[in-house]
Amino acid sequence: MVATAPAKLILCGEHAVVYGQPAIAVPLPDLRATATVQAGAPHTGLTLAVPDLSPEPIHDPQHPLLALIHATLHTLAAPAAPDLLLTVRSSIPIASGMGSGAAVATALVRAVAQWYGVAMTDAAVSDLVYQSEQRLHGTPSGLDNAVIAYAQPIWFVRQSPAPLIEPIQIGAPLHLVIGDTGIRSETRLPVGAVRQAWQAQPAHYTALFAAVGDIVRQIRTILALPQPELPLLGALLTANQHLLAQIGVSSPALEQLIGTAQAAGARGAKLSGAGWGGIMLALATDSAHAAHIAAALRAAGAVQATPTVVQAHG
Ligand code: PMV
């Protein structure tokens, strides 16, 4: 039994989303995590193989991915300790803002559900992965697991008792370039720093988050147009970047790639994800322009620069 899940890209609204503002994220279908389930040898219990990370299989029930599999078995009302061999592989860069952890977790949940012949809803998959992300990261907004489980462009608002998750309309294909600084950054570090800054200056940070929210709402409207207004969309993405810099999550390496993309004619550019490293995105006019920006980013030191197209949707 094989299941896969895509990487993700946050288009706008990261960080502010933790404080109740909307965010927009899209799946990246060309980068995927894959999980395989097979029958294990009798009396071996659950075995997890992650050949890309370690030659030794994992048996420790405390391991976050095994804890997730146990939670999935419980949700499915399946036997608690079946003899199963689960293998995960992923082509998604780790700790770079593309959701590799959530994608691996989503593929595992789907593969286990398929093994037991249960059709889980996207919302149920997203919930299980969210619980797993909580065990790892503390207070994630839930955006990563949602966009990856739904595998379509989404509008996300963290709220109680359940987040608002709406598929959004993309009126025309969007040509983006994703540039990777090569600097791995653990999400919880910038997220923790922003929390401390917000606690120290609540009014100031709440205003910055609200300004991000306004931009995200305008971006949603523009994305739905059949002929996107690229100059306006780009200006809004760049305005989001300026606010992220004020929030304190940009970095010299990100700023350098963003400046390079702009010098290469990008309509707009911003960091994507938690910041302090990881990836940035740039808005191009078409595929030739995207290839040009990607080459400029590589020349400026990006370890990877990948043109990607967000297809019209909805
Ligand atoms: O780097 P990522 O993709 O894990 O981005 C985290 C996005 C934040 O908004 C910064 C945190 C969150 O939980 O939404």
Side-chain angles (χ1 to χ4, degrees):
M1 211 56 76
V2 182
T4 74
K8 71 101 209 315
L9 181 70
I10 301 178
L11 223 48
C12 51
E14 53 274 270
H15 285 289
V17 71
V18 176
Y19 300 85
Q21 297 294 337
I24 297 173
V26 298
L28 295 172
D30 294 341
L31 289 174
R32 304 193 78 89
T34 303
T36 312
V37 184
Q38 315 163 244
H43 312 300
T44 50
L46 284 177
T47 305
L48 177 66
V50 191
D52 300 338
L53 289 184
S54 145
E56 295 300 319
I58 299 162
H59 289 282
D60 177 7
Q62 305 296 323
H63 187 281
L65 289 178
L66 277 183
L68 169 66
I69 296 162
H70 280 294
T72 307
L73 292 170
H74 182 76
T75 302
L76 297 172
D83 297 321
L84 291 179
L85 170 61
L86 301 109
T87 307
V88 289
R89 289 177 189 277
S90 170
S91 60
I92 307 168
I94 293 171
S96 61
M98 299 173 93
S100 68
V104 163
T106 301
L108 267 176
V109 170
R110 290 210 189 280
V112 171
Q114 280 176 28
W115 179 263
Y116 289 101
V118 179
M120 281 182 90
T121 62
D122 294 340
V125 173
S126 181
D127 269 359
L128 275 168
V129 176
Y130 180 61
Q131 288 163 28
S132 170
E133 297 260 291
Q134 275 179 315
R135 287 191 283 270
L136 282 170
H137 298 304
T139 55
S141 64
L143 172 62
D144 274 27
N145 48 281
V147 64
I148 289 171
Y150 283 72
Q152 53 185 313
I154 60 160
W155 170 264
F156 180 94
V157 184
R158 180 185 199 183
Q159 58 184 31
S160 270
L164 172 69
I165 302 166
E166 287 175 2
I168 61 161
Q169 209 183 331
I170 308 276
L174 216 56
H175 294 272
L176 300 175
V177 184
I178 303 170
D180 190 345
T181 61
I183 299 168
R184 301 289 156 248
S185 174
E186 278 186 62
T187 302
R188 63 186 176 84
L189 299 178
V191 168
V194 172
R195 180 160 298 274
Q196 279 185 356
W198 168 71
Q199 280 163 347
Q201 288 181 278
H204 177 60
Y205 277 81
T206 301
L208 290 173
F209 299 146
V212 171
D214 282 345
I215 288 173
V216 174
R217 277 182 276 273
Q218 291 179 64
I219 289 178
R220 180 181 188 169
T221 307
I222 293 173
L223 286 176
L225 302 174
Q227 297 274 314
E229 294 188 33
L230 290 186
L232 183 52
L233 177 56
L236 288 166
L237 292 171
T238 301
N240 190 170
Q241 167 61 23
H242 291 153
L243 289 164
L244 285 163
Q246 289 177 57
I247 290 168
V249 294
S250 195
S251 73
L254 284 164
E255 293 294 338
Q256 200 217 343
L257 294 186
I258 289 165
T260 299
Q262 280 164 337
R267 293 294 184 259
K270 64 182 280 295
L271 69 84
S272 174
W276 284 2
I279 54 166
M280 48 74 68
L281 63 85
L283 178 64
T285 45
D286 54 30
S287 0
H289 187 213
H292 170 69
I293 294 171
L297 289 173
R298 272 184 229 112
V303 296
Q304 277 198 52
T306 318
T308 183
V309 184
V310 178
Q311 297 297 347
H313 227 281

